[in-house]
Amino acid sequence: MLELSTPLSSISGVGPRFLQKFKKLSIETVRDLLWHLPARYEDFSAITNIADLAPREECTVRGIVKKLEMRRAWRKRMFILEGVVEDETGAVRVVWFNQTYIRNVLGEGTPVNLSGKVSVSKDGELYFSNPTYEVPSKYGKETKHTGRVIPIYPETKGLTSKGIRYIIQPILERIGNIEETLPNEIAKRFGFPPLSESIHTVHFPDSIEAGIAARKRFAFEDLFLLQLFLLKERMRVKKERAHAVPTDIDGIKKFLGTLPFELTQSQKKSLWEILKDMEAPAPMNRLLQGDVGSGKTIIAAAAAREAARAGFQTAFMAPTEILAHQHYETMRKIFARENIGIALLTGSDARASYGDGLETTMKKSDLTREVAKGALSVVIGTHALIAESKTKKSVPFALLGLVVVDEQHRFGVRQRAKIIEPDEHGYAPHFLSMSATPIPRTLSLTLWGDLDISLISELPKNRKPIITKVVPPEDRMNAYAFIRSEIKKGRQAFVVCPRIEPATNSEHLTTKEYEMLQIKSVTEEYEKLSKTIFPDLAVAMIHGKLKAAEKEKTMREFSANKTNILISTAVIEVGVDVPNATIMMIEGADRFGLAQLYQFKGRVGRGEHQSYCMLFSDSSSDTTRKRLLSIVEAKNGFELAERDLALRGPGQFVGNEQTGMPDLAMNALRHPEATKDARDAAADILSKDPSLKKYPALKTRLADLTRKVHGE
Ligand code: ADP
Ligand code: MG
């Protein structure tokens, strides 16, 4: 009897070539294989008369083996089994390569079904090559490969569905009862048949509908498992210790009073939720979600202030140096009268400001020492601040109380888990992540189901909706004229250059070569705009390869309105905040993802001035138009996210930065409708049996998943 844990390598009939290919699909055990579910099904249930076979069509014939001979091909180790199958209407030749075992099943006079694509020889003869075969009588009336619905699997090079079926079918025959993973009550609630039955149905259903229904069970199971994992993570974090940070109500009110604006209702509510969390002696694990420009930074700053007042340090991490820099400048302003020491620490920059408004640039090692002494309360940097890499150790904080991660969507579960690991005294920092990527609820439940969520649901009152247009090429000059008129009024503009894709798929560019292309496009655009179109205006450019100091100077001058137009690569995608800039012009807009375009658009409309977003594209195809129009039409990021999800599917939407998230999650996302059910079911089970004592099979699977996510 086979077990789920049996390695495929110990099963006779699965040769090394198969093993290697399965490995590419991450299939190493019987379990992996049986859970390699069909992507779709094909209906071979109709039987074709041999006389009616048509070239290159998928057909099933039913006949009697008339002849069967084995030869050895000129190439050694290649065995060819050749035969003829006949029905009342005619006969057809059939060949199998290297499948000598078929001789044990088929012989002259055996009834047989053959399914597969009809091949055509050089001289026009129709024949079957490596068809799926089956002896109908062997399993009673039931057939597994032919004359029925057959499964089509996700394939890899050299491993076809046919091959996978050949391996799976006998294993399914030999597998014993498979232990149920879904708790009984849940299977019942959703009407799922037992696992053993479902696994047979999903591979060899009686009808396409039955197959699809069985697949639903597996999708649900994945979602359920994922939710169990996320809820367990959440329980684990809640059990850890953290330093309680008392809220100084009067102090925070006074502090908020010094800002040039009043917080919106949802900003206030979010801040309150955060401060409440931090008051507890267990670590906060919260996501602050809010549309671009909704004002997340100030909320995080207020939380950092409270931590500092209570004597704890904050690590504030941004995805880019440009953004880290901007946050540093913002906080310097915000904390000018607060007597809170802040520092900027990035790959290329180390400076500190001790709350007296003065700034000191210092050696990185000196700054690190200051941080280790606890002399600086808020340290702003990139992810390197905390994430330990092979070459660099993370910064040694004296008393880390709060970790803020901006633009959370670039951060996976694994990295998060690393951050909230307790220190040597057993204390974990409070954790606040922020994201502007508007994620539909089901998606965020799946990706961040281990986090509590605060939502900033409104924009500050002073904002006007951004006027967004897809500009046809013939209106380009008008667009430039419009930019000029806005600049005359004192406003500023961004011009984003298109992402450059290699011309052909075979052109594998290294990151460096790719960057060079990007820079070339920015430089060319810069030449054109600064010399030909706007020679009288101050035009600047920025891209990833500039030295940090140059980037910083360029951004500083743009922020101070010393330059009118900033030409850029996608480096300004997230977070950049220059409220006086009112025009976002995007070249080659079709080459960016919707979420990314939405982020670009979010660079304007951040102040009281009317703002504009202009999308240019070389492609006039229907799909392109549709995609770009969704940027124009979507009223907010959430609406857009739903569309993007529908247009491109979840993988594309989240992007491949979503490291640490198992494929499981990505697959599960294809069934958003079941996410909520799975969540509720998982919460239900955990509330009754937190350690899953009653569900050993489930427990094992959960342990596997946890190991995978944490990269052990
Ligand atoms: P995001 O949520 O995209 O990170 P930011 O925190 O960068 O947005 O805020 C965008 C701009 O809005 C900043 O210039 C900030 O100072 C300003 N801002 C934040 N909150 C308010 C508010 N309640 N009223 C007016 N302006 C605000
Ligand atoms: Mg931001």
Side-chain angles (χ1 to χ4, degrees):
M1 211 33 88
L2 290 177
E3 301 287 334
L4 287 184
S5 57
T6 308
L8 291 181
S9 53
S10 68
I11 297 180
S12 59
V14 189
R17 270 192 31 239
F18 264 120
L19 285 176
Q20 207 182 5
K21 281 173 184 144
F22 275 131
K23 203 164 172 178
K24 274 208 186 114
L25 295 169
S26 301
I27 298 174
E28 296 182 48
T29 62
V30 167
R31 177 172 209 299
D32 297 339
L33 182 66
L34 294 186
W35 262 255
H36 187 63
L37 302 184
R40 60 192 176 85
Y41 301 93
E42 242 162 50
D43 197 343
F44 273 137
S45 54
I47 304 283
T48 309
N49 286 333
I50 290 178
D52 298 335
L53 287 179
R56 281 173 289 276
E57 245 163 53
E58 304 265 6
C59 301
T60 297
V61 298
R62 171 176 292 169
I64 307 282
V65 178
K66 277 294 155 191
K67 223 166 82 186
L68 196 64
E69 275 167 13
M70 173 128 89
R71 339 188 232 113
R72 202 171 169 149
W74 55 273
R75 257 195 289 167
K76 272 186 196 144
R77 275 191 275 140
M78 169 80 106
F79 291 96
I80 301 177
L81 195 60
E82 190 163 9
V84 172
V85 170
E86 200 178 86
D87 68 4
E88 302 87 74
T89 67
V92 65
R93 191 165 65 89
V94 51
V95 284
W96 283 286
F97 299 96
N98 277 344
Q99 299 181 47
T100 51
Y101 58 90
I102 292 179
R103 245 190 341 179
N104 305 331
V105 187
L106 299 184
E108 285 184 23
T110 322
V112 70
N113 286 4
L114 301 177
S115 279
K117 203 184 227 168
V118 178
S119 306
V120 191
S121 74
K122 272 193 222 104
D123 40 22
E125 178 214 12
L126 301 185
Y127 69 103
F128 279 105
S129 168
N130 280 338
T132 310
Y133 72 93
E134 188 163 17
V135 181
S137 62
K138 190 169 177 198
Y139 310 107
K141 280 199 304 236
E142 289 289 308
T143 53
K144 294 289 180 205
H145 295 283
T146 60
R148 58 154 27 249
V149 173
I150 61 154
I152 310 294
Y153 294 97
E155 299 173 356
T156 184
K157 208 171 168 228
L159 186 59
T160 60
S161 281
K162 205 190 287 174
I164 296 174
R165 274 197 304 274
Y166 266 115
I167 305 280
I168 284 191
Q169 193 266 336
I171 288 180
L172 264 179
E173 295 297 328
R174 286 170 59 202
I175 191 89
N177 183 47
I178 301 174
E179 197 182 353
E180 181 61 51
T181 39
L182 277 185
N184 221 334
E185 47 181 297
I186 289 176
K188 231 198 236 146
R189 191 183 313 159
F190 296 99
F192 297 131
L195 177 55
S196 263
E197 185 184 326
S198 303
I199 201 85
H200 280 91
T201 312
V202 81
H203 290 290
F204 296 106
D206 285 335
S207 64
I208 291 186
E209 294 71 40
I212 290 171
R215 250 187 358 210
K216 275 212 175 114
R217 181 215 142 97
F218 291 96
F220 179 87
E221 210 176 306
D222 281 358
L223 286 167
F224 176 66
L225 199 64
L226 194 65
Q227 290 302 336
L228 274 180
F229 165 74
L230 293 167
L231 288 171
K232 283 286 258 189
E233 284 289 287
R234 188 208 243 329
M235 283 161 67
R236 184 176 65 81
V237 171
K238 289 247 155 81
K239 264 192 270 169
E240 257 151 31
R241 279 194 301 171
H243 297 287
V245 176
T247 308
D248 162 21
I249 302 265
D250 290 336
I252 195 103
K253 278 196 181 140
K254 228 182 258 160
F255 165 69
L256 293 175
T258 64
L259 300 177
F261 47 75
E262 200 193 335
L263 292 189
T264 61
Q265 274 314 315
S266 52
Q267 275 176 314
K268 281 183 193 158
K269 180 159 175 281
S270 299
L271 178 56
W272 184 248
E273 288 165 350
I274 290 164
L275 295 179
K276 271 268 150 271
D277 274 4
M278 287 167 53
E279 280 185 335
M284 166 168 75
N285 198 18
R286 188 170 281 280
L287 170 68
L288 177 59
Q289 223 182 350
D291 217 336
V292 272
S294 61
K296 295 182 290 295
T297 317
I298 183 65
I299 304 303
R305 177 195 179 275
E306 289 306 284
R309 283 281 166 271
F312 300 106
Q313 289 170 301
T314 296
F316 199 126
M317 309 199 279
T320 62
E321 286 197 10
I322 292 179
L323 200 51
H325 215 274
Q326 176 184 293
H327 283 327
Y328 170 74
E329 291 297 339
T330 305
M331 290 216 223
R332 263 184 72 193
K333 266 183 239 144
I334 295 177
F335 290 145
R337 277 187 297 268
E338 291 283 322
N339 201 24
I340 290 175
I342 66 172
L344 175 71
L345 189 56
T346 66
S348 52
D349 217 341
R351 56 179 92 172
S353 158
Y354 287 90
D356 49 9
L358 297 178
E359 181 179 77
T360 333
T361 311
M362 48 175 101
K363 278 214 305 240
K364 242 194 249 181
S365 52
D366 291 338
L367 183 60
T368 309
R369 215 166 301 126
E370 286 289 278
V371 173
K373 276 199 306 198
L376 292 156
S377 296
V378 183
V379 183
I380 300 149
T382 51
H383 292 151
L385 265 190
I386 297 266
E388 246 171 83
S389 69
K390 284 208 184 75
T391 48
K392 279 185 218 134
K393 235 182 137 35
S394 54
V395 178
F397 285 87
L399 197 50
L400 185 61
L402 172 66
V403 175
V404 178
V405 176
D406 197 10
E407 300 306 339
Q408 159 70 31
H409 60 286
R410 308 242 156 159
F411 235 56
V413 180
R414 188 181 301 167
Q415 287 130 305
R416 288 202 309 259
K418 193 134 190 61
I419 288 173
I420 43 185
E421 246 164 43
D423 62 15
E424 67 270 28
H425 309 293
Y427 286 92
H430 294 290
F431 177 61
L432 176 65
S433 51
M434 307 198 281
S435 177
T437 301
I439 304 271
R441 169 106 184 116
T442 42
L443 243 169
S444 75
L445 260 187
T446 308
L447 296 176
W448 304 320
D450 57 330
L451 301 175
D452 296 308
I453 295 182
S454 289
L455 184 67
I456 305 185
S457 56
E458 69 210 304
L459 292 179
K461 280 192 208 68
N462 62 353
R463 306 288 165 76
K464 296 190 182 75
I466 300 163
I467 296 175
T468 308
K469 287 226 162 78
V470 180
V471 186
E474 61 271 21
D475 283 350
R476 179 173 283 278
M477 281 309 168
N478 290 340
Y480 287 141
F482 182 73
I483 292 179
R484 181 180 290 282
S485 72
E486 277 293 293
I487 288 172
K488 280 240 167 71
K489 284 193 229 158
R491 305 287 84 77
Q492 291 163 277
F494 290 103
V495 176
V496 170
C497 290
R499 252 180 53 190
I500 300 174
E501 307 281 1
T504 63
N505 266 344
S506 57
E507 249 179 81
H508 289 297
L509 298 185
T510 62
T511 318
K512 203 157 191 182
E513 289 163 336
Y514 177 76
E515 263 169 7
M516 292 313 295
L517 270 182
Q518 236 39 51
I519 292 165
K520 183 161 167 271
S521 106
V522 176
T523 315
E524 280 170 7
E525 193 66 25
Y526 173 76
E527 293 287 310
K528 176 178 134 195
L529 293 190
S530 63
K531 296 214 171 108
T532 319
I533 314 275
F534 302 116
D536 51 327
L537 299 180
V539 182
M541 70 167 162
I542 193 163
H543 56 69
K545 271 286 151 228
L546 288 181
K547 290 219 174 64
E550 274 176 88
K551 268 191 259 187
E552 189 226 316
K553 182 163 168 277
T554 309
M555 280 316 295
R556 187 161 13 93
E557 287 177 354
F558 190 66
S559 287
N561 200 2
K562 287 198 183 123
T563 35
N564 309 116
I565 299 174
L566 183 63
I567 301 162
S568 163
T569 52
V571 290
I572 56 138
E573 177 184 343
V574 287
V576 167
D577 183 44
V578 182
N580 190 52
T582 56
I583 292 186
M584 169 56 69
M585 174 171 178
I586 305 168
E587 298 284 357
D590 51 294
R591 304 200 204 156
F592 296 101
L594 283 190
Q596 216 178 356
L597 287 173
Y598 191 74
Q599 283 281 353
F600 289 138
K601 177 173 160 178
R603 295 312 113 220
V604 295
R606 301 189 139 240
E608 75 258 68
H609 306 292
Q610 177 61 56
S611 290
Y612 306 86
C613 177
M614 304 191 274
L615 305 162
F616 285 80
S617 158
D618 310 325
S619 155
S620 55
S621 82
D622 241 25
T623 18
T624 305
R625 263 201 86 70
K626 219 156 121 200
R627 278 187 65 221
L628 296 185
L629 276 179
S630 60
I631 294 279
V632 176
E633 285 160 10
K635 284 185 198 59
N636 56 50
F638 283 87
E639 201 184 304
L640 180 80
E642 302 277 3
R643 282 183 189 226
D644 202 15
L645 200 58
L647 280 173
R648 299 198 303 165
Q652 287 285 336
F653 180 81
V654 183
N656 43 15
E657 290 98 334
Q658 199 56 44
T659 49
M661 228 28 211
D663 292 346
L664 193 65
M666 286 298 132
N667 291 335
L669 289 177
R670 284 176 229 288
H671 303 272
E673 70 288 348
T675 302
K676 180 92 181 40
D677 285 343
R679 174 78 161 191
D680 294 344
D684 194 32
I685 289 297
L686 283 178
S687 73
K688 290 179 196 148
D689 183 3
S691 58
L692 300 176
K693 260 197 230 84
K694 281 194 279 170
Y695 311 104
L698 194 58
K699 195 172 176 159
T700 312
R701 285 207 64 193
L702 187 60
D704 282 349
L705 175 63
T706 309
R707 249 195 319 277
K708 241 185 223 155
V709 175
H710 289 297
E712 287 153 21

